[in-house]
Structures are given as structure tokens and as C-alpha cells.
């Protein structure tokens, strides 16, 4: 019995030491293309941002983030240039990923859902609206070392407005850096 308890204690100590050394916090930068969906008043533009990655559970990571984006200028209507630029979008939110864990080299697929405050603004038309919206998608990371991941993700965004919603697909690539365990 004592031998079994000793083995269990050693295994528990080993597991807690291994978990303590695994990265639990990281930061990342990302950028890519912002593709409007079912919007004739915008063209594709850009998106970029910053995020933190916080390991909550063995397979769940919280990602507080801020994203800045811009849609392209609208198409001419009946051959007439409208003379307005595309809208800007700024979001502050949090995504929750399932998979794509830090601290491991190799291919790491993941899925995610999130919620954010989406502010849509157009200086030319004096339009400004900020509402809570949702996002979700799929992606993968490639761990090039235990502390660095390169990732690609597709993010579907629905940003409600007073007269409907702005929808977009963001195709993003980025790099994440993880700090050691604490």
C-alpha cells in the first residue's frame, strides 16, 4: 500500500511539475484581409490587431483581443462614383478557442467562438454605431518551438447595426509568443 501511495505521489508531482512548466500566457499579433459578406456598400479591406492568450483549462484558451479594420471604397452606383471611403471597424472582445494549445511543436487545429463590441464608423457619411456582436471560426497553428506559434484563422464576424448588421469574413495570419509557466 505504501509503495502504491509513493508511486501515485511521484506521478502527481511529475504531472504538476510538467503542467507548471507549460506556457499558460502568451501574446500575439495578426493581420489579414477583411471580406464583406452580403454588403454591396463595401469592398474587401484589411484587418490587424493584438491579442493575449490565457490557458484556462487543458484544452480551452481565452483570447482577449483588439482588432482594427477597414473596408474598401464602395462600387460606383449606375456609373456614378459616390465619393465616399469604406467604413472603419474597431472591435474589443474575447474569443475562446478549443484546441491549438501553447507549448507544443507541430500542427495544432482549433475552433473558436467569441463576443466583441464592434464599432463601425464612416467619416464621409458621419455614420457611427457601436454594438455587441459575435464571431466564430476555424484555424490552425504550427508550433515552431514551445514558445512560438505561427497561425492562420478564418473568422466569421456579425456586427449588428441599427438597420441590420455588417457581416464579414476575416482571413488572418499571425504569430504568438508564449511566456514560461508560472
Amino acid at each position: 500500500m505504501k509503495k502504491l501511495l509513493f508511486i501515485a505521489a511521484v506521478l502527481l508531482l511529475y504531472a504538476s511539475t510538467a503542467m507548471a512548466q507549460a506556457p499558460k500566457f502568451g501574446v500575439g499579433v495578426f493581420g489579414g484581409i477583411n471580406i464583406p459578406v452580403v454588403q454591396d456598400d463595401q469592398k474587401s479591406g484589411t484587418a490587424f490587431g493584438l491579442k493575449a492568450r490565457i490557458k484556462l483549462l487543458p484544452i480551452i484558451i481565452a483570447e482577449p483581443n483588439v482588432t482594427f479594420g477597414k473596408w474598401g471604397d464602395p462600387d460606383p452606383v449606375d456609373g456614378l462614383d459616390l465619393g465616399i471611403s469604406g467604413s472603419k471597424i474597431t472591435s474589443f472582445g474575447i474569443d475562446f478557442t478549443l484546441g491549438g494549445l501553447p507549448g507544443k511543436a507541430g500542427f495544432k487545429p482549433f475552433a473558436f467562438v467569441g463576443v466583441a463590441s464592434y464599432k463601425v464608423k464612416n467619416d464621409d457619411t458621419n455614420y457611427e454605431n457601436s454594438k455587441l456582436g459575435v464571431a466564430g471560426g476555424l484555424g490552425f497553428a504550427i508550433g515552431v518551438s514551445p514558445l512560438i506559434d505561427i497561425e492562420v484563422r478564418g473568422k466569421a464576424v456579425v456586427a449588428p447595426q441599427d438597420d441590420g448588421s455588417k457581416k464579414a469574413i476575416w482571413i488572418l495570419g499571425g504569430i504568438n509568443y508564449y511566456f514560461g509557466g508560472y
Side-chain angles (χ1 to χ4, degrees), residues 3-178:
K3 190 175 187 180
L4 184 60
L5 286 174
F6 176 75
I7 292 171
V10 168
L11 288 175
L12 185 61
L13 183 61
Y14 177 76
S16 66
T17 303
M19 288 299 288
Q21 293 176 359
K24 295 178 184 168
F25 177 76
V27 294
V29 295
F30 55 88
I33 190 165
N34 178 357
I35 305 166
V37 176
V38 193
Q39 291 184 68
D40 295 332
D41 61 339
Q42 310 284 335
K43 283 188 180 176
S44 295
T46 59
F48 64 94
L50 305 167
K51 67 181 173 182
R53 296 196 83 212
I54 304 160
K55 187 173 179 181
L56 299 179
L57 296 172
I59 61 169
I60 298 177
I61 296 173
E63 295 181 335
N65 60 72
V66 58
T67 305
F68 305 96
K70 182 166 179 16
W71 283 300
D73 298 346
D75 287 328
V77 176
D78 296 327
L80 178 63
D81 185 8
L82 300 177
I84 60 174
S85 60
S87 299
K88 299 173 192 169
I89 185 167
T90 305
S91 74
F92 297 93
I94 187 164
D95 294 336
F96 294 94
T97 67
L98 179 63
L101 299 176
K104 299 180 187 221
F107 182 76
K108 303 180 280 190
F110 59 86
F112 63 94
V113 296
V115 63
S117 171
Y118 293 97
K119 178 180 177 182
V120 177
K121 182 177 181 180
N122 189 303
D123 294 330
D124 295 334
T125 62
N126 292 322
Y127 179 82
E128 187 172 330
N129 194 324
S130 185
K131 296 218 182 211
L132 200 59
V134 295
L138 300 170
F140 66 89
I142 298 174
V144 294
S145 81
L147 298 179
I148 297 174
D149 285 345
I150 296 173
E151 76 170 38
V152 175
R153 69 173 65 197
K155 186 172 187 174
V157 174
V158 178
Q161 303 296 295
D162 290 335
D163 57 349
S165 65
K166 299 282 188 186
K167 298 169 203 66
I169 301 291
W170 295 350
I171 311 264
L172 304 169
I175 188 164
N176 302 316
Y177 177 78
Y178 300 101

